[in-house]
Amino acid sequence: MEVNQYLEMFIEESKEHLQACGEHLLELEKNPEDLAIVGEIFRSAHTLKGMSATMGFEDLADLTHKMENVLDAIRNEKIKVTPEIFDVVFESVDHLEEMVYDIADGGDGKRDVQVTVEKLKLIESGEIAATTVAIAPVEATQIVETKVDTVNLKLTYDDFEKTVLLQSSEQDYNAYEISITLREDCLLKAARVFMVFEILEKNGDVIKSSPTVERLEEEQFDHQFYVAYISKENAEDLQKMLMKVSEVDLVEVSEIHQDVFHQSVTSNVELEVQDTIVPALVEQEVATQPVQKPQATNNSSKATGHASSKTIRVNIERLDILMNLFEELAIDRGRLLSIASEVNHGELNETVERMSRTMGDLQNIVLTMRMVPVETVFNRFPKMVRQLSRDLNKKITLDVIGAETELDRTVIDEIGDPLVHLIRNSVDHGIESPEARLAKGKPEEGTVQLRAYHSGNYVFIEIEDDGAGINRDRVLAKALSKGIVTHEQSLTMTDKQINELILASGFSTAEVISDVSGRGVGLDVVKTTIESLGGNISIESTQNVGSVFSIQLPLTLSIISVMLVEIEKEIYAIPLSSIIETSIIRNSDILNAHNQKVIDFRGKVVPLVFLEEIFEVPRKELKEDGFHSVVIVRKGDKLAGLVVDSFIGQQEIVLKALGDYLTNIFAISGATILGNGKVALIVDCNALLK
Amino acid sequence: MTNAVEQTNLKVIVFQLADKEYAIPVSHVKGIEKLMHITRVPKTARFVKGVINLRGVVTPVIDLRERFGLPIPESEETTRIIIITLETMEVGFVVDSANDVLDIDSESIEQQPEVVGSLEEEFIAGVAKLDNRLLILLHLDKVLNPLD
């Protein structure tokens, strides 16, 4: 299932949010007046609600929603926090936690939370006093219900298991269902499980367990598990033996009645009928154990389970360290190579060469280790679009192309939110309503295409919709009214520039603020995020045909291509991403315009920036041969020519920060270490183009 | 931390700067390096010599003589870069030479006499007398912090 791929992420994040909720609740209990804390809890709850709704865990979302309502009321000072309210909110968080753990254990996150929901509703309506009275009877019936449940079967059995259980009784074995509850604070669950199983296996045979043995070993269960068991011992002895295991809270041994199986072996239908009688609590168990297949296939599922866990999480910092170490090696490799060629010793040469080759492979691995397919981000979009189109009463299909494209992990982490924004924007503002589409002669169903592909040192992510396109006049009118552009500016703007106005801060074209997009945070956030990643965003749009939002991102943030240039004895690196071309100009090509030296570059007037002056390079003697080496760089539509002494060449370099001591150095974005072990600074072209 | 006067026994690295001896607690010293190629970083304070490649990590280097307003001689064979760590910062100090590790009894540390009157005054945390030597203990926070 698709969901599985990001289920893990969901579980991790949910746990984090619940953790935050709990922590903040405790904090709030200490300072009930601090409404800022309520805001924090609210945010966590809100995110959790959104996530669980997207993942389709309705009960989880529902309970969170109720809790959120209460929090909102507290935040808006409609109700005052009292210890009772705390109890209920904590209770809800506990329930939520249980649900998330259930989901993590492969369950469906369903849980009977009626009582808590009632309490929350009452609080919300301001009837806290009545709660305790109103709740009592409900709770009582709950208990009765669970008592009844224990008589029924906790486990479901397939034919094979039933036969085993049946035959056992024919051989004077007793069949039991044992429920074992560990203490809440049990620390070594797996160890306790092991001890329980050891006792059981000494005295009989375990037919099956729920959750499965692997899950139990991995501590993927709450505190309770069930086993089906055959043994010659009687129930009471078994219970006593099992209770001897420390940290076991409760052991219930119930005999399985043979007649249950006599009927069900012959007809599965009847078994199903029986199962439906078993209410609430057991239903959960049934769901976690979707129709067990015979033992043989069970083994094969074990194998696949192991195969999927063959990745490990590694802290990205460690990868950085690995990268650093590797670079040192690379520098020494260079030295070794030159020494070897000097010494010219056959065996030494051979060894050094072999080492170089191995290091080449190693380099590939080190670099690709940080790469992750964009799939991890893209996967959540189809569901989101489906949900959105439902909410908006639109018909939309989302095509995802190139999800296997790989990007640096750090970029992946950042790109999710901007993409969500852009897709929401396309769905909400781009695609028209079915009626409007039909009226325009378009197919009723709109299409949003999400594409990712590599090109050179970049990854492009494009979001294309066949919607209304950008309304040039409306955008312009709005930009004028908001003072984003002046009237004079607007006269000379190209369509593309006007399109890109929607990315300017303080701009939001939606006339009606909808829930989907336009919540005050505009597309300018998207632009800022992408630019902070060293990327670019551009928009192509044709009215009534559709729009394409195109994001250009560097493949990796740690390795970039640069042009190395020399000024006097100093070497600087200029990111290739900013460079349009290099050229050599004569002194006579330089013109003066308003105290600014400019050149005529392919019909465009381009200002010159003498890096020597900007960087205050100490010069022993004036270099004057009538020629200048110029690197033409760009930022958006602006161009500039950086004047240097000479070009050294293009190189892949590893980006390094200058450290915490040197911050905000003008026009320097970082540093790198060259092959000779010296440090070269990286020129920040964006700062030079103001 | 830097003002470790309270400790009873303080292990320090001793270095020379224009005929005077200075001391930095060993706990702040990550290593001592020979002078290596320093890449100048433009538009920084005068005492920032630039950055070095310290085994793959780009580390800024400041010239303590320049920082204290002392005359700058040509660098010599004994010139060293002492790598200091302070909180998250890692910075190299260029000094004339560094060759001693000493234990100072905190009893022997005194507040600095007010007569010094030079620029370096504000960087001094205390003075330790050791036999016939006078060690100046540096206030690392102050040396590193006000980046003007």
Side-chain angles (χ1 to χ4, degrees):
Chain A
M1 272 227 317
E2 249 182 292
V3 176
N4 286 338
Q5 285 167 319
Y6 39 87
L7 186 63
E8 203 181 308
M9 200 160 71
F10 164 75
I11 290 166
E12 282 309 315
E13 282 181 25
S14 303
K15 281 182 186 167
E16 268 170 35
H17 283 297
L18 285 172
Q19 176 83 15
C21 271
E23 276 169 16
H24 285 120
L25 274 172
L26 289 170
E27 218 176 299
L28 183 65
E29 204 164 23
K30 284 183 202 137
N31 321 295
E33 303 304 332
D34 196 346
L35 291 175
I37 305 176
V38 186
E40 287 296 333
I41 305 169
F42 184 81
R43 264 191 291 283
S44 289
H46 188 78
T47 319
L48 185 63
K49 183 181 84 173
M51 287 194 305
S52 44
T54 319
M55 296 292 293
F57 296 113
E58 255 118 27
D59 284 16
L60 194 58
D62 197 34
L63 180 58
T64 324
H65 178 71
K66 295 285 184 328
M67 190 171 95
E68 204 186 85
N69 285 346
V70 172
L71 291 170
D72 198 36
I74 297 174
R75 191 170 62 164
N76 296 326
E77 300 185 45
K78 279 191 200 131
I79 50 176
K80 272 193 82 70
V81 273
T82 63
E84 285 82 353
I85 292 181
F86 268 115
D87 290 345
V88 181
V89 176
F90 269 121
E91 194 184 320
S92 325
V93 174
D94 285 346
H95 278 306
L96 292 173
E97 239 153 21
E98 293 291 342
M99 287 174 177
V100 171
Y101 280 109
D102 180 33
I103 293 165
D105 287 351
D108 58 358
K110 288 207 187 308
R111 197 180 159 86
D112 192 351
V113 288
Q114 202 52 43
V115 187
T116 316
V117 169
E118 284 303 320
K119 285 187 204 169
L120 286 170
K121 272 189 190 159
L122 286 170
I123 292 174
E124 206 197 332
S125 55
E127 295 177 54
I128 319 141
T131 48
T132 39
V133 191
I135 297 317
V138 187
E139 249 163 1
T141 54
Q142 283 273 309
I143 292 159
V144 174
E145 252 179 42
T146 45
K147 280 267 166 62
V148 174
D149 290 345
T150 52
V151 185
N152 288 294
L153 292 184
K154 293 288 191 303
L155 298 165
T156 47
Y157 303 96
D158 55 49
D159 288 352
F160 174 75
E161 288 154 356
K162 279 175 210 154
T163 320
V164 172
L165 288 171
L166 268 176
Q167 283 172 353
S168 69
S169 64
E170 284 156 18
Q171 292 165 8
D172 292 333
Y173 278 90
N174 298 320
Y176 297 110
E177 246 187 33
I178 308 175
S179 110
I180 295 127
T181 313
L182 297 177
R183 284 230 309 267
E184 289 273 330
D185 54 353
C186 176
L187 289 175
L188 299 163
K189 291 203 282 190
R192 301 307 167 209
V193 168
F194 176 76
M195 289 163 82
V196 166
F197 273 77
E198 202 181 37
I199 291 176
L200 289 175
E201 265 150 19
K202 246 186 229 163
N203 300 296
D205 282 306
V206 175
I207 305 299
K208 78 174 287 177
S209 72
S210 163
T212 59
V213 179
E214 287 129 63
R215 280 177 177 280
L216 290 173
E217 278 169 358
E218 285 161 17
E219 304 198 349
Q220 288 184 15
F221 66 104
D222 270 348
H223 296 285
Q224 196 174 31
F225 60 95
Y226 304 95
V227 286
Y229 181 61
I230 51 170
S231 166
K232 285 187 175 170
E233 302 287 335
N234 67 40
E236 220 171 289
D237 287 349
L238 277 175
Q239 195 197 7
K240 277 182 194 154
M241 279 190 272
L242 291 173
M243 284 301 283
K244 287 222 173 87
V245 177
S246 51
E247 292 191 305
V248 168
D249 207 23
L250 189 71
V251 175
E252 279 177 47
V253 183
S254 53
E255 207 162 326
I256 300 175
H257 293 288
Q258 303 305 326
D259 43 337
V260 172
F261 291 118
H262 278 300
Q263 296 158 359
S264 48
V265 169
T266 45
S267 101
N268 270 328
V269 186
E270 275 182 49
L271 182 81
E272 271 171 37
V273 174
Q274 275 206 338
D275 275 349
T276 49
I277 304 166
V278 182
L281 253 172
V282 181
E283 217 165 66
Q284 186 184 329
E285 280 309 315
V286 177
T288 48
Q289 294 288 321
V291 196
Q292 288 281 331
K293 290 185 190 109
Q295 214 67 40
T297 46
N298 214 0
N299 280 341
S300 72
S301 74
K302 258 183 215 171
T304 54
H306 279 290
S308 65
S309 64
K310 266 186 180 164
T311 57
I312 55 163
R313 281 159 177 259
V314 181
N315 192 330
I316 204 148
E317 254 174 50
R318 287 201 197 171
L319 292 183
D320 287 341
I321 296 170
L322 185 65
M323 183 92 101
N324 272 340
L325 292 174
F326 180 79
E327 282 155 30
E328 268 180 63
L329 268 182
I331 292 162
D332 288 340
R333 169 182 60 183
R335 291 217 184 112
L336 258 183
L337 277 171
S338 66
I339 293 170
S341 71
E342 272 171 36
V343 175
N344 205 11
H345 182 283
E347 267 179 67
L348 177 67
N349 277 340
E350 223 172 87
T351 317
V352 169
E353 243 166 60
R354 208 168 43 236
M355 193 193 76
S356 301
R357 269 202 301 278
T358 319
M359 277 190 66
D361 294 344
L362 189 62
Q363 179 168 359
N364 274 335
I365 289 171
V366 171
L367 295 188
T368 50
M369 214 153 44
R370 297 166 56 97
M371 306 288 272
V372 182
V374 281
E375 207 175 355
T376 46
V377 181
F378 280 12
N379 274 348
R380 53 175 141 142
F381 294 139
K383 201 147 192 182
M384 187 184 93
V385 169
R386 215 183 92 218
Q387 195 76 40
L388 286 177
S389 54
R390 274 215 206 127
D391 294 348
L392 295 164
N393 289 322
K394 290 178 182 178
K395 287 190 179 168
I396 299 165
T397 49
L398 177 74
D399 290 342
V400 178
I401 297 168
E404 70 286 346
T405 315
E406 285 192 326
L407 254 174
D408 191 274
R409 176 67 211 231
T410 33
V411 184
I412 292 270
D413 288 346
E414 298 291 325
I415 199 67
D417 284 346
L419 286 180
V420 168
H421 236 89
L422 288 175
I423 291 174
R424 278 170 176 273
N425 183 68
S426 286
V427 169
D428 195 16
H429 303 311
I431 306 284
E432 314 91 327
S433 64
E435 301 79 46
R437 290 183 66 89
L438 286 173
K440 284 180 189 172
K442 291 185 187 180
E444 194 182 10
E445 192 163 8
T447 310
V448 176
Q449 202 179 63
L450 183 60
R451 283 189 297 260
Y453 57 89
H454 278 156
S455 175
N457 263 318
Y458 293 95
V459 167
F460 287 85
I461 298 176
E462 293 178 349
I463 297 152
E464 181 172 4
D465 66 67
D466 63 348
I470 292 169
N471 188 326
R472 188 182 181 279
D473 301 332
R474 242 175 66 200
V475 168
L476 203 52
K478 187 113 174 193
L480 284 169
S481 75
K482 297 226 166 173
I484 295 165
V485 286
T486 62
H487 186 67
E488 287 75 43
Q489 281 175 320
S490 73
L491 294 176
T492 56
M493 286 178 90
T494 63
D495 281 3
K496 200 172 163 148
Q497 282 172 321
I498 292 169
N499 289 343
E500 274 156 29
L501 280 177
I502 67 169
L503 301 172
S505 64
F507 193 94
S508 171
T509 43
E511 268 140 31
V512 185
I513 291 198
S514 75
D515 191 34
V516 179
S517 52
R519 239 169 299 168
V521 270
L523 290 172
D524 57 315
V525 180
V526 173
K527 193 179 177 189
T528 330
T529 316
I530 289 166
E531 280 177 357
S532 74
L533 291 171
N536 250 313
I537 177 165
S538 64
I539 306 171
E540 298 277 347
S541 182
T542 318
Q543 205 159 349
N544 289 330
V545 177
S547 321
V548 186
F549 288 78
S550 181
I551 300 170
Q552 182 191 21
L553 289 167
L555 252 188
T556 150
L557 292 185
S558 47
I559 294 182
I560 59 171
S561 287
V562 294
M563 168 100 185
L564 294 179
V565 298
E566 198 169 27
I567 305 161
E568 185 71 355
K569 286 277 175 302
E570 297 181 0
I571 293 171
Y572 289 90
I574 303 172
L576 227 50
S577 55
S578 306
I579 300 179
I580 292 187
E581 64 172 273
T582 57
S583 72
I584 293 184
I585 54 163
R586 286 170 209 280
N587 259 345
S588 56
D589 292 337
I590 300 175
L591 313 166
N592 275 303
H594 305 294
N595 275 336
Q596 168 76 58
K597 286 182 173 164
V598 297
I599 49 164
D600 181 8
F601 173 72
R602 303 194 194 287
K604 262 188 152 180
V605 175
V606 174
L608 287 181
V609 178
F610 289 84
L611 285 188
E612 175 188 342
E613 288 166 22
I614 297 281
F615 292 148
E616 296 161 343
V617 181
R619 215 186 257 288
K620 297 219 170 71
E621 54 196 82
L622 224 62
K623 166 190 158 285
E624 195 51 76
D625 52 9
F627 291 96
H628 295 280
S629 303
V630 179
V631 183
I632 311 284
V633 295
R634 66 160 204 157
K635 179 200 181 187
D637 292 330
K638 281 178 238 160
L639 297 179
L642 308 183
V643 183
V644 299
D645 283 4
S646 61
F647 309 129
I648 295 174
Q650 189 184 327
Q651 199 173 322
E652 301 266 299
I653 55 141
V654 180
L655 205 65
K656 303 261 182 187
L658 284 174
D660 282 352
Y661 181 67
L662 295 174
T663 47
N664 292 325
I665 294 164
F666 176 72
I668 298 292
S669 62
T672 187
I673 293 165
L674 300 174
N676 60 9
K678 289 181 185 170
V679 180
L681 301 175
I682 299 166
V683 180
D684 179 6
C685 296
N686 290 345
L688 292 174
L689 279 158
K690 271 282 152 69
Chain B
M1 278 282 275
T2 48
N3 201 353
V5 184
E6 293 81 11
Q7 288 177 18
T8 48
N9 232 343
L10 193 64
K11 212 182 227 345
V12 293
I13 299 271
V14 179
F15 61 87
Q16 282 74 39
L17 211 59
D19 304 331
K20 282 191 207 150
E21 287 195 301
Y22 294 79
I24 299 172
V26 160
S27 55
H28 286 294
V29 177
K30 205 188 157 204
I32 299 172
E33 304 289 328
K34 283 196 175 170
L35 197 63
M36 56 179 96
H37 180 266
I38 301 178
T39 302
R40 190 185 64 93
V41 179
K43 304 233 167 176
T44 48
R46 218 159 29 91
F47 54 82
V48 176
K49 296 300 283 182
V51 286
I52 55 166
N53 165 20
L54 185 69
R55 285 177 287 279
V57 180
V58 176
T59 311
V61 171
I62 66 179
D63 190 330
L64 276 197
R65 274 185 178 254
E66 190 98 55
R67 186 77 175 109
F68 296 161
L70 301 170
I72 314 289
E74 281 295 298
S75 58
E76 288 173 47
E77 188 54 31
T78 57
T79 306
R80 291 286 179 276
I81 301 174
I82 303 181
I83 310 297
I84 306 291
T85 56
L86 186 71
E87 285 151 33
T88 58
M89 281 186 282
E90 206 162 280
V91 180
F93 287 167
V94 179
V95 300
D96 291 359
S97 65
N99 36 29
D100 249 341
V101 181
L102 290 177
D103 279 314
I104 308 180
D105 188 352
S106 64
E107 302 274 298
S108 66
I109 299 174
E110 292 165 22
Q111 289 304 307
Q112 63 129 341
E114 282 175 29
V115 285
V116 182
S118 74
L119 225 173
E120 57 185 299
E121 187 179 1
E122 55 174 311
F123 305 124
I124 297 174
V127 177
K129 272 190 210 116
L130 214 74
D131 303 330
N132 53 352
R133 294 164 82 177
L134 199 67
L135 301 179
I136 303 166
L137 282 151
L138 281 183
H139 211 306
L140 287 180
D141 278 322
K142 294 232 171 91
V143 177
L144 288 181
N145 245 345
L147 248 189
D148 25 78

